[in-house]
Amino acid sequence: MNGHGGGAREDGCKAGSRVGWLFLLCWLVVSCLMVGCRTVRHDEVFQNSTIDALLAGVFDGDLTCGELLQHGDFGIGTFDALDGEMILVDGRLRQVKADGRVYAPSHKVKTPFATVCHFRPDATFDMSGPMDFGAVGKAVDRVVPNLNVFCAIRIEGRFRMMRTRSVPRQQKPYPALPEVARVQPEFPMENVEGTIVGFRCPSFVKGVNVPGYHLHFLSADESRGGHILALELEAGRCSVDRLDRFCLRLPGTVTDFATTDLAKDRVKELESVER
Ligand SMILES: [Zn+2]
């Protein structure tokens, strides 16, 4: 009887430990799946909203910078109500406002338009000047000749000349972006060190992002920066990350986005705003 009872207890223990192991296995599988969901996706461009929506005046942010940072540690964009230029580098988020100063915005601030990636360079090379905006682009094109993929560009350099702009925070009803850009403050700099952060987008993104080069600048002392209008590089080190995945998030709950005519061709407007 005792022996039998002992056997039952042993069976019970075995059954208990089997349940324990099963539980541990399930927990491990679930944990792995959860970690998998949070895995950083390399070689992917993540973008919020479209450039044509921004050109049309859809300036209401709907994605927090905190959420944006889950999709990248590197990139460019703007902030809610078009409040300045965004520079994201090494996970550090910076905002160049229309007063020309650089701020570290709260991660609760929202963005109406941004392009980011998890920057992991495929190639790094030296650049020696003098090189203007066009020459910098051509140098990157030589290293990443496939113009039909995205390319993230980071240049640590010394610049004989750098001319940037920012955009002032807007009030509702929002004007279209070209109207804002007509009176944008510009920031000319001479002999400045800093980082260029930006992307080369394929021509087929017309209407969605900016085809070709779109670069922002942050000075090494983080006192100046903005959207680059012109530059003259003296010397620098350039890193490029080829990106062949594209994830587009749309501001589905923003009323202006829902009611704006995005069938219109805004290429001319984009040209007036970018350079
Ligand atoms: Zn820009």
Side-chain angles (χ1 to χ4, degrees):
M1 187 71 189
N2 277 350
H4 182 78
R9 263 199 303 280
E10 271 170 36
D11 285 350
C13 282
K14 273 182 197 160
S17 77
R18 266 201 301 274
V19 169
W21 277 110
L22 203 62
F23 178 78
L24 187 68
L25 192 67
C26 287
W27 179 80
L28 278 171
V29 168
V30 169
S31 301
C32 287
L33 283 172
M34 283 170 76
V35 168
C37 289
R38 270 186 271 123
T39 296
V40 165
R41 287 208 95 168
H42 288 286
D43 295 331
E44 179 175 282
V45 178
F46 174 87
Q47 184 186 323
N48 188 41
S49 192
T50 70
I51 192 69
D52 273 15
L54 196 74
L55 285 167
V58 183
F59 300 155
D60 277 336
D62 74 317
L63 180 76
T64 66
C65 289
E67 288 168 300
L68 182 71
L69 262 65
Q70 288 174 13
H71 299 278
D73 56 11
F74 178 97
I76 55 178
T78 186
F79 297 89
D80 187 49
L82 202 71
D83 193 10
E85 307 283 350
M86 177 192 292
I87 296 122
L88 174 64
V89 59
D90 293 328
R92 282 193 334 277
L93 186 68
R94 295 294 179 262
Q95 176 180 22
V96 180
K97 290 198 190 185
D99 63 5
R101 293 199 175 143
V102 182
Y103 298 81
S106 152
H107 287 188
K108 287 181 190 152
V109 172
K110 291 180 176 177
T111 173
F113 180 77
T115 308
V116 301
C117 72
H118 291 285
F119 191 77
R120 202 169 57 174
D122 296 309
T124 298
F125 54 98
D126 288 324
M127 281 178 159
S128 60
M131 290 169 90
D132 64 8
F133 195 112
V136 165
K138 280 190 188 123
V140 172
D141 290 349
R142 274 195 293 275
V143 176
V144 186
N146 181 352
L147 299 178
N148 296 328
V149 294
F150 291 80
C151 185
I153 301 123
R154 173 178 184 162
I155 304 170
E156 305 287 341
R158 214 167 47 243
F159 304 87
R160 209 159 290 164
M161 183 275 287
M162 175 66 73
R163 190 157 58 85
T164 63
R165 70 105 197 271
S166 185
V167 278
R169 185 181 178 86
Q170 299 297 304
Q171 307 289 333
K172 287 191 174 191
Y174 294 136
L177 186 53
E179 277 178 58
V180 179
R182 265 196 284 277
V183 290
Q184 68 193 11
E186 294 187 5
F187 311 113
M189 296 164 233
E190 280 177 10
N191 301 316
V192 61
E193 282 185 29
T195 308
I196 289 178
V197 172
F199 293 91
R200 185 192 72 192
C201 292
S203 55
F204 57 78
V205 302
K206 188 168 82 79
V208 176
N209 203 314
V210 179
Y213 287 90
H214 182 182
L215 308 173
H216 287 190
F217 177 72
L218 183 65
S219 68
D221 62 3
E222 296 200 354
S223 67
R224 293 173 289 175
H227 170 107
I228 299 178
L229 297 170
L231 64 86
E232 192 187 319
L233 177 135
E234 202 177 307
R237 193 147 176 80
C238 177
S239 302
V240 289
D241 188 4
R242 243 182 76 129
L243 309 158
D244 49 19
R245 283 199 202 96
F246 184 42
C247 178
L248 178 63
R249 177 192 178 277
L250 296 172
T253 57
V254 172
T255 308
D256 284 355
F257 182 78
T259 55
T260 296
D261 176 15
L262 293 175
K264 196 181 152 191
D265 190 318
R266 296 176 198 269
V267 167
K268 290 256 152 31
E269 293 167 51
L270 181 65
E271 280 169 13
S272 76
V273 163
E274 283 302 305
R275 295 291 137 80

